[in-house]
Amino acid sequence: MTDRIDQAILDILRRNARTPTAALARRLGISRTTLQGRMERLERQGDIRGYTLLESPDEDLVRAHVSIVITPRHSQKVERDLKTLPELRELHAVSGASDLIALLGASTTESINRAIDDIGQLEGVERTVSAIILSTRFRKGR
């Protein structure tokens, strides 16, 4: 169960997960030892589930959205196969004409083109529609 201080810890970390523990403790008016204990408890409870490196999509010189239509009963295999592509950055299940949207990223258009071709060749992929991202006009929270 979380209290007001635990909630404040989570709120601050949501905004900036790299906030140093000393700064976080000072901001909350608690000792670093107390903060560490609370964070360990929040981890055990599952409120903090891990620490990870999230690569910035801006580091990819070329990005593309690929809408994917899957033949019936092949979704699990297609998803498994897609996850092996080094260019895959995100994979989303969507409603509408497509079943999935993949966000690809790479350093060259040739790499993106090859990845799109690879997706189209996967068993269970019926059709793809791709769009190269020319520029990002707005991204919230960065």
Side-chain angles (χ1 to χ4, degrees), residues 111-125:
S111 295
I112 292 291
N113 189 48
R114 203 170 26 258
I116 292 169
D117 287 346
D118 290 345
I119 291 170
Q121 297 298 314
L122 293 176
E123 181 184 352
V125 171

Side-chain angles (χ1 to χ4, degrees), residues 56-122:
S56 170
D58 293 333
E59 293 175 10
D60 293 320
L61 296 176
V62 184
R63 293 177 294 146
H65 285 162
V66 181
S67 298
I68 304 166
V69 177
I70 301 172
T71 57
R73 296 185 295 281
H74 282 90
S75 62
Q76 288 181 343
K77 183 185 182 332
V78 169
E79 284 186 36
R80 225 179 7 258
D81 291 344
L82 287 169
K83 289 177 185 176
T84 67
L85 291 174
E87 297 83 5
L88 182 70
R89 299 296 178 259
E90 297 177 19
L91 184 61
H92 304 274
V94 296
S95 62
S98 298
D99 299 302
L100 299 170
I101 293 180
L103 175 62
L104 304 181
S107 58
T108 65
T109 54
E110 290 80 14
S111 295
I112 292 291
N113 189 48
R114 203 170 26 258
I116 292 169
D117 287 346
D118 290 345
I119 291 170
Q121 297 298 314
L122 293 176

Side-chain angles (χ1 to χ4, degrees), residues 41-59:
R41 184 175 41 75
L42 289 168
E43 289 174 12
R44 281 192 309 274
Q45 289 175 189
D47 293 310
I48 297 175
R49 285 187 283 261
Y51 303 89
T52 186
L53 169 68
L54 297 175
E55 295 184 56
S56 170
D58 293 333
E59 293 175 10

